[in-house]
Amino acid sequence: MAASTVVLATRNAAKLRELARILGAGDSGGTQIRLAGLDEFPGAPDVPETGATFEANALIKARAVAGCTGLPAVADDSGLCVDALNGMPGVLSARWAGGHGDDRANLDLVLAQLADVPSSRLGARFVCAAALVVPGTLLAPGGTTPPSPPGTREWVVTGQVEGQLVRAPRGSGGFGYDPIFLPDGFDQTTAEMTAEAKDAISHRGRAFRALTPFITAAGPSAG
């Protein structure tokens, strides 16, 4: 049976590998899913994350990519919410230091902002919203903005993991704020865990696992 294609709305190879692992570990019900990143679609837009919530940003990106490619699209928005920073960086996690995707600068800024905060107040959580959009009426290339075209189906799920921040980065795995996040009940940061161990407890792992039944159900309608 030929694999159905689902587009993951990212150019981040680590995220693509992560979702592939999670789908591979889940129950696909016999449906073969081929994941494609945005690099396979040169005309696909880089969609600004203009929403006020993780859920809104995930939907904005998934709608745009589904509209551009005509294929089911999965997008996520995730971030670090720090208690002592009133839930920030939150939806600004990827650009907390100003430039989008500068992981080390973002991490260093958070640590600097928490330098004088007692360790007892370093509680934090990773939150992920994952959205799947299966396009209805196909549009001309260039994407679509809400409202979605007739017949479009949409799902949004969330996952989170609670933990504490550490004062200095530990580990070389993962990405983003993984080197300073210590999940509750563990003595390793998420950057020190194996990929499989991290997937089992991570916010993104939980959100993608919750979305997996919808992704596999959408598979037969994909090209």
Side-chain angles (χ1 to χ4, degrees), residues 65-152:
V65 172
C68 173
T69 64
L71 294 170
V74 171
D76 79 289
D77 190 36
S78 58
L80 178 71
C81 301
V82 182
D83 294 343
L85 298 178
N86 295 317
M88 299 304 279
V91 295
L92 301 176
S93 292
R95 52 190 182 278
W96 190 235
H100 192 283
D102 189 339
D103 288 352
R104 186 62 197 226
N106 291 332
L107 183 155
D108 286 344
L109 179 56
V110 166
L111 289 178
Q113 291 168 326
L114 297 172
D116 297 325
V117 174
S119 296
S120 60
R121 294 184 55 220
L122 293 183
R125 68 200 53 81
F126 272 135
V127 179
C128 176
L132 168 67
V133 173
V134 179
T137 304
L138 297 184
L139 301 185
T144 182
T145 55
S148 297
T152 296

Side-chain angles (χ1 to χ4, degrees), residues 167-188:
R167 299 281 185 187
R170 290 166 33 189
S172 58
F175 52 91
Y177 298 93
D178 281 334
I180 61 170
F181 186 79
L182 190 70
D184 285 348
F186 293 83
D187 58 7
Q188 292 179 309

Side-chain angles (χ1 to χ4, degrees), residues 1-6 30-35 216 218-223:
M1 180 175 63
S4 300
T5 300
V6 174
T31 301
Q32 297 181 44
I33 302 294
R34 187 184 80 84
L35 284 176
T216 55
S221 65

Side-chain angles (χ1 to χ4, degrees), residues 18 174-175 178 190 193-204:
E18 192 170 41
F175 52 91
D178 281 334
T190 43
M193 294 178 167
T194 65
E196 293 74 20
K198 177 189 169 186
D199 291 346
I201 60 98
S202 77
H203 56 308
R204 194 173 289 105

